[in-house]
Every structure is written in structure tokens, then in C-alpha cells.
Amino acid sequence: MAGKTEGKPLLEGQVVVVTGASSGIGRATAVAFGGHGAKVVVNYLSGDEAADATVGEIEAAGGEAIRVAGDVSREDQVERLFAKAADAFGTVHILVNNAGIQQDAPFEKMTLDQWRKVIDVNLTGQFLCARAAIREFLRRGPQPEVSKAVGKIVSMSSVHQAIPWAGHANYAASKGGVMLLTETLAQEFGHRKIRVNAVAPGAIRTPINRGAWEDEESLKELMTLIPYRRIGEPADVAEAVCWLASDLSDYVNGTTLVVDGGMMLYPGFRGNG
Ligand code: NAI
Ligand code: BGC
């Protein structure tokens, strides 16, 4: 993607909140936004050093960023996150609803706590952050010199919004919910010039799925699920998110951009069926 439109950085003058930006996809996304000229609010659950590293990387490249700790599943902490963003940068133009976790278990052994935790962070967290962002978009109103849209939300979904995943019922249910939350918000707020889209990554090399790539045998097995025959890197996802948040995608609303090397293409059917 060209980094500039009409000679200025793609996301210049825009403020983005990236949840879960101290690691993995969120970190790479925050750094990419900084590189495209956005002011970045780096949210994370805990571990100040990792969040500082994200902020430091953005600043080293000439960008602006702050870190704000906060649990996306807690209403008061989400309110605080958006208040801090407004204090620092005046408003918010873009939300990347990225924070997410796995707590895997065979279904018959899954505890209510494991179910609730994953739904709370992955789905309720996206509800709370999207609501706070939309309230701010509506309060601020249009700024056509900054962006064609009043606000943009990019939901971090997963191929598991569509691919059932045995042993991960809580996670798959949360991402299925993210897909319909995304589509519903896009339908509800399109006429207010707010765009809501999702990115659905396949297997991306981050701490969330370390077991799938850290040894050769697991990685080899993973490759049977990926027609493009490589694991994704966080940067593969980050640029897709930036595009969806930019005016380059102004007519894209309520869709999911799949970034998965072809994982959703039923790879088991190659030479089979
Ligand atoms: P990660 O484990 O590297 O990063 C997760 C981030 O979320 C961390 O910054 C952590 O501090 C934050 N976080 C966790 N709980 C939080 C909470 N309650 N409040 C605020 N922040 C919280 O994971 P990764 O892989 O970067 O995942 C990011 C998103 O991408 C998740 O929504 C995940 O479901 C999704 N995803 C990841 C894929 C992968 O293969 N890595 C594939 C498809 C989707
Ligand atoms: C999960 C990863 C998994 C990937 C592909 C993601 O949503 O968080 O653990 O590797 O989907 O199955």
C-alpha cells in the first residue's frame, strides 16, 4: 500500500486506539499506524515494559504515542481509556478492537470461568470499546479535512468466525459474535458515516498460538492447513487494518478482510474429495 495520499501520510491527523497493543498483532498494528502518521493510544492489560516498547518503537520512527493500561472487559476501565485518549489527543477517529485471549479446553471439561473469561474479553470487550468509540465519534461529528468518515472501527476477528474449532468452543463462539457485532454496527451506523469492518487472520506467529509454531513438528502440521505454506507474521495483518481504517477503503463497510494465506479455502480438498 502506498504510504501517502496526495502527498501526506495516509492517516495523518487521526487518533487511533489499539487495544491489546503490547504484543503480537496489536503491537505491529500500533506501529504501522504510527508509521502512517496517526497518533496512537497503546492499550494493554498489564506489563508496562512491553507497552513502553510499542510506544518506543513508534516514537523512534518519528510518531506519537501514549500507553494506557486497562481491561477491555471492564466498563470503568474502558471509559478511562477513552477519557485518557481524549485528554492526550483531543478525540478518537479510529478504534482497533484487537485485544483477545484463548483459554482452550475440551468442551466437556471447559469451566464456566474459561467460557466467561473468553467471551468477556473477546466479545464484551469489543462491545464496550465500540460503544465508547461510537459515542465519541458522534459527539465530535465530521472532520472532512481529517477523514471522509466520522469514525472507523476495525474488529479483530479470526478465521474462526467461520471455521468451527474443536477444543476452542469459547473462542470460536466469541469470534462468531464479533462477526455479527461488526455487521450489525456497520448496518446501524453507516448513515452516520461510521464504517465498521473486521479483519480475520489465520495463523499468525504470536504468543497466543506458540504451541502451533514453536517446534518443527507442530509447524509442519500447521502448514497442511495453509495453502500459501507459511505462517503469517503480525505485520501481514497490520497493513490490512490500516487500509480498512483509511480513506482508501471509504466504500468498504461491514465486511471481513481475511488475511490467512488461504486457510479458509478448505485445503483438505486439494487432491481430495
Ligand atoms: P497476543 O497474546 O500476542 O496479544 C494479546 C494482547 O491482548 C496483549 O497486548 C494483551 O495485553 C492484550 N489483552 C489481553 N487481555 C486483555 C484485556 N482484558 N484487556 C486489554 N488487553 C488485553 O495475541 P495476538 O495473537 O496478537 O492476538 C490479538 C488478536 O488477534 C486477538 O483478538 C486474537 O483473537 C486475534 N487473532 C490472532 C491470531 C493469531 O494466529 N495470532 C489469528 C486470528 C485472530
Ligand atoms: C487463533 C490462533 C490460531 C489461528 C488459526 C486464531 O484465531 O488465535 O491460535 O493459530 O486462529 O487457527
Side-chain angles (χ1 to χ4, degrees):
M1 177 173 50
K4 297 183 176 190
T5 48
E6 292 158 17
K8 63 172 188 154
L10 189 65
L11 296 163
E12 187 175 84
Q14 302 200 48
V15 179
V16 60
V17 172
V18 183
T19 66
S22 61
S23 174
I25 294 171
R27 176 176 172 157
T29 300
V31 169
F33 270 95
H36 288 298
K39 294 172 185 159
V40 187
V41 180
V42 171
N43 160 258
Y44 60 108
L45 180 62
S46 59
D48 296 347
E49 272 178 29
D52 282 338
T54 306
V55 169
E57 197 175 338
I58 293 168
E59 288 175 344
E64 259 186 271
I66 58 163
R67 65 165 163 84
V68 183
D71 183 338
V72 295
S73 69
R74 295 273 306 274
E75 190 172 24
D76 56 336
Q77 297 187 27
V78 170
E79 296 308 311
R80 180 178 170 276
L81 167 63
F82 280 78
K84 291 265 175 200
D87 281 354
F89 297 130
T91 185
V92 173
H93 302 94
I94 300 159
L95 165 67
V96 183
N97 242 338
N98 167 76
I101 57 168
Q102 286 183 218
Q103 292 208 356
D104 311 326
F107 190 70
E108 75 279 15
K109 292 191 178 142
M110 187 174 283
T111 64
L112 180 57
D113 193 51
Q114 286 172 319
W115 173 267
R116 280 200 175 129
K117 191 81 201 147
V118 170
I119 298 292
D120 278 359
V121 175
N122 295 12
L123 185 55
T124 307
Q126 291 216 14
F127 156 68
L128 289 170
C129 292
R131 193 183 61 176
I134 285 171
R135 286 176 175 166
E136 174 55 20
F137 300 159
L138 296 176
R139 183 202 66 75
R140 186 222 328 118
Q143 288 182 332
E145 70 288 3
V146 175
S147 174
K148 291 177 180 169
V150 170
K152 281 98 35 155
I153 297 176
V154 182
S155 321
M156 196 54 67
S157 187
S158 163
V159 290
H160 299 297
Q161 72 173 30
I163 302 179
W165 203 15
H168 310 258
N170 48 1
Y171 185 84
S174 75
K175 295 299 185 181
V178 164
M179 180 182 76
L180 270 173
L181 176 63
T182 301
E183 292 175 359
T184 298
L185 294 181
Q187 188 196 63
E188 191 163 341
F189 290 100
H191 73 292
R192 313 291 297 267
K193 303 293 276 180
I194 293 169
R195 293 193 298 116
V196 187
N197 291 288
V199 170
I204 310 298
R205 191 195 310 269
T206 78
I208 209 174
N209 58 357
R210 188 177 296 283
W213 51 262
E214 70 182 345
D215 63 82
E216 222 172 286
E217 202 46 43
S218 309
L219 192 59
K220 199 170 155 211
E221 209 173 308
L222 182 63
M223 286 310 109
T224 66
L225 297 176
I226 308 174
Y228 202 55
R229 292 289 188 273
R230 74 164 170 87
I231 190 167
E233 302 297 338
D236 290 317
V237 181
E239 287 299 338
V241 178
C242 289
W243 180 76
L244 276 176
S246 79
D247 281 355
L248 292 178
S249 63
D250 188 56
Y251 205 51
V252 180
N253 191 29
T255 200
T256 297
L257 177 50
V258 177
V259 183
D260 72 343
M263 190 177 240
M264 285 190 67
L265 302 175
Y266 300 98
F269 274 78
R270 185 162 173 265
N272 209 339

